[in-house]
Amino acid sequence: RCAELQIQLTEAVSTLGGQKELIAKLEHDLSTIQALSAVHRPDAEGAAEPGLEKIPEPIKEATAQFYGHPPSIGTAFPEGQVDSLLSIISSQRERFRARNQELEGENRRMQHTVHALQSELDNLRADNIKLYGKIKFLQSYPGRGGSRDDTEQRYSSQYEERLDPFSSFSRKERQRKYLSLSPWDKATLSM
């Protein structure tokens, strides 16, 4: 289950990255459109407009698809069409922003779940090692059978490692050394 959650977390993070790129592109296109609205428009309808050559091709294509006719280079955009395109892009950006926030919340929940499952796994492993110690103690009594199954074999090495005085001493020395570090060194070490 932990692996599934990790996969879902990775997918959510990649989706979030893709959406951030799309938002940046939309904001760039939106700023281009807003710059066009500041261009002086001639009084006569149908007159050539000097600034329309600067319109990015994706915007021309999107506008053409929206109105159902192919884009032409010298075509002037009516004021309503630019406002309509602007409102469409703005609403799309808001939808993406809401979806992004939703995915970020889901990502945080998944991370919390992964951490909770990991701590539960660690606690269960420690409990199993303690139980193995009790089994070993009970088997030390005379007259008890000594058949070992897979579960016992799995935890016997971890149990023996806990009893090893050298590894215990090494762990205590590492802990003592860590506690003697300055807060800056601890932060650097944890990074």
Side-chain angles (χ1 to χ4, degrees):
R1 176 157 182 208
C2 185
E4 289 177 14
L5 291 174
Q6 284 291 68
I7 291 170
Q8 290 176 354
L9 175 67
T10 305
E11 290 173 356
V13 168
S14 66
T15 304
L16 176 66
Q19 287 184 349
K20 284 184 179 181
E21 290 174 13
L22 287 174
I23 288 171
K25 186 173 187 261
L26 282 172
E27 288 176 348
H28 173 70
D29 291 344
L30 182 62
S31 66
T32 305
I33 289 176
Q34 287 175 345
L36 285 177
S37 66
V39 173
H40 173 68
R41 301 194 183 277
D43 293 333
E45 256 187 66
E49 195 160 304
L52 287 179
E53 295 81 32
K54 298 178 188 175
I55 296 177
E57 198 60 38
I59 295 175
K60 288 180 187 177
E61 291 172 8
T63 306
Q65 288 175 356
F66 183 71
Y67 284 97
H69 54 73
S72 58
I73 299 298
T75 306
F77 291 114
E79 184 71 30
Q81 187 175 358
V82 172
D83 291 339
S84 172
L85 185 61
L86 180 63
S87 66
I88 290 170
I89 291 174
S90 296
S91 64
Q92 185 180 22
R93 185 182 75 180
E94 292 304 317
R95 283 193 306 271
F96 281 138
R97 184 175 287 155
R99 179 70 177 141
N100 186 19
Q101 289 173 349
E102 179 183 318
L103 287 173
E104 284 176 347
E106 187 177 326
N107 185 11
R108 281 191 293 275
R109 286 191 300 275
M110 290 293 178
Q111 285 178 348
H112 178 71
T113 305
V114 166
H115 289 301
L117 289 173
Q118 188 63 42
S119 65
E120 184 179 346
L121 180 68
D122 293 341
N123 290 338
L124 288 174
R125 190 172 287 134
D127 289 346
N128 285 341
I129 292 172
K130 287 178 187 175
L131 288 174
Y132 177 78
K134 290 179 182 180
I135 289 172
K136 189 149 177 97
F137 174 74
L138 291 174
Q139 286 178 346
S140 68
Y141 282 111
R144 294 275 180 182
S147 67
R148 301 184 75 178
D149 61 353
D150 292 337
T151 308
E152 288 181 45
Q153 290 175 355
R154 187 177 331 145
Y155 291 104
S156 66
S157 63
Q158 294 176 16
Y159 175 75
E160 295 297 328
E161 183 180 308
R162 273 192 173 178
L163 294 179
D164 184 18
F166 296 111
S167 65
S168 175
F169 176 75
S170 175
R171 245 190 332 266
K172 287 178 185 175
E173 282 298 304
R174 264 188 260 129
Q175 182 67 19
R176 184 185 63 78
K177 192 68 172 174
Y178 179 76
L179 293 175
S180 69
L181 292 175
S182 70
W184 300 108
D185 291 338
K186 288 179 184 177
T188 304
L189 181 63
S190 66
M191 289 165 128

